[in-house]
Amino acid sequence: GAVVSQHPSWVICKSGTSVKIECRSLDFQATTMFWYRQFPKQSLMLMATSNEGSKATYEQGVEKDKFLINHASLTLSTLTVTSAHPEDSSFYICSARDRQNAGGGPYYEQYFGPGTRLTVT
Amino acid sequence: AQSVSQHNHHVILSEAASLELGCNYSYGGTVNLFWYVQYPGQHLQLLLKYFSGDPLVKGIKGFEAEFIKSKFSFNLRKPSVQWSDTAEYFCAAKIGGTSYGKLTFGQGTILTVHP
């Protein structure tokens, strides 16, 4: 199956600094990637939809100036947490959407990365 | 707004016990439904999905789920669990009846299977 990687798998940073997380589709091209945030014992919350070559679409309540998303190529999207604070500590998961051609027309499957644990001290 | 609810946060079973994890969604139109599994330290993997047709869907590793439209439910079942099924399970939904939409996840259910 398709593979999505994330780097780093975990990161610790100091309050006020910025952190960049990379999401790569390793064996397919993804015009669309998704960024989720997962709090302990809670669901995955969609933060934004990243579209190659255009601006990301953010979900309601997500600060676009704080969570900068860049999808510069068909295999790479990055999430930069700017001026991180302890409340930004969380598990960030990306997902890449693969278009497949089935008998009844195109079908879109989402593949998930392993996640990045961010701790802001 | 669309939402997905999983009623059990943590389920503990012994090996060979039967499993049923509840999932309900709130949306009156066409939905596509999914179950994902996340093994410790690993990424989310698709267990099974329902788009249309037979409401009883069979997935990988012996799992199945039944779509009951009248109950807005998509419960996950397995007749006999194994220790290796210990993981977190997420129900998810896409609205609109196509595979293109955004996934909305339930809260997740942690399954612990004792040998």
Side-chain angles (χ1 to χ4, degrees):
Chain A
V3 179
V4 176
S5 70
Q6 277 184 246
H7 178 79
S9 54
W10 59 270
V11 58
I12 301 172
C13 71
K14 292 187 176 180
S15 187
T17 61
S18 295
V19 174
K20 180 186 283 188
I21 302 170
E22 293 186 348
C23 176
R24 293 180 185 273
S25 57
L26 297 186
D27 48 5
F28 65 100
Q29 293 182 330
T31 56
T32 302
M33 294 185 177
F34 302 92
W35 286 97
Y36 296 85
R37 183 173 179 176
Q38 185 181 24
F39 292 101
K41 299 184 180 180
Q42 294 189 31
S43 180
L44 280 76
M45 301 300 297
L46 180 64
M47 299 174 64
T49 302
S50 170
N51 301 297
E52 188 268 336
S54 64
K55 292 183 179 180
T57 304
Y58 290 81
E59 296 298 303
Q60 192 172 10
V62 178
E63 298 177 61
K64 62 180 180 181
D65 294 329
K66 181 167 186 62
F67 298 100
L68 300 179
I69 291 172
N70 186 0
H71 193 156
S73 79
L74 289 172
T75 60
L76 173 64
S77 175
T78 60
L79 169 68
T80 301
V81 183
T82 62
S83 187
H85 291 284
E87 57 264 31
D88 298 325
S89 297
S90 191
F91 195 54
Y92 293 87
I93 300 173
C94 77
S95 171
R97 185 163 67 192
D98 181 25
R99 174 180 167 147
Q100 301 164 356
N101 291 316
Y107 172 78
Y108 298 88
E109 186 76 71
Q110 268 185 251
Y111 298 94
F112 289 83
T116 296
R117 174 78 57 193
L118 170 63
T119 301
V120 184
T121 61
Chain B
Q2 173 185 297
S3 68
V4 178
S5 299
Q6 293 178 244
H7 312 297
N8 308 102
H9 176 66
H10 194 179
V11 172
I12 302 172
L13 296 172
S14 298
E15 274 195 319
S18 64
L19 169 72
E20 181 160 3
L21 301 182
C23 172
N24 286 92
Y25 64 93
S26 64
Y27 182 70
T30 303
V31 293
N32 300 328
L33 297 161
F34 305 80
W35 275 99
Y36 286 88
V37 61
Q38 187 173 30
Y39 297 103
Q42 297 188 29
H43 59 275
L44 278 165
Q45 300 173 43
L46 181 65
L47 268 181
L48 48 78
K49 60 192 175 193
Y50 171 79
F51 273 61
S52 63
D54 189 344
L56 184 61
V57 180
K58 295 193 182 299
I60 61 171
K61 306 187 182 191
F63 286 91
E64 64 179 30
E66 185 174 13
F67 170 55
I68 304 179
K69 189 174 182 179
S70 60
K71 295 184 178 180
F72 297 89
S73 71
F74 190 57
N75 291 356
L76 180 71
R77 301 193 293 244
K78 186 171 184 178
S80 176
V81 295
Q82 300 172 311
W83 175 79
S84 58
D85 293 324
T86 295
E88 188 161 14
Y89 294 80
F90 292 91
C91 182
K94 286 185 185 179
I95 64 171
T98 76
S99 61
Y100 191 77
K102 298 184 292 189
L103 282 167
T104 298
F105 284 89
Q107 301 91 328
T109 298
I110 298 170
L111 172 65
T112 301
V113 180
H114 291 303

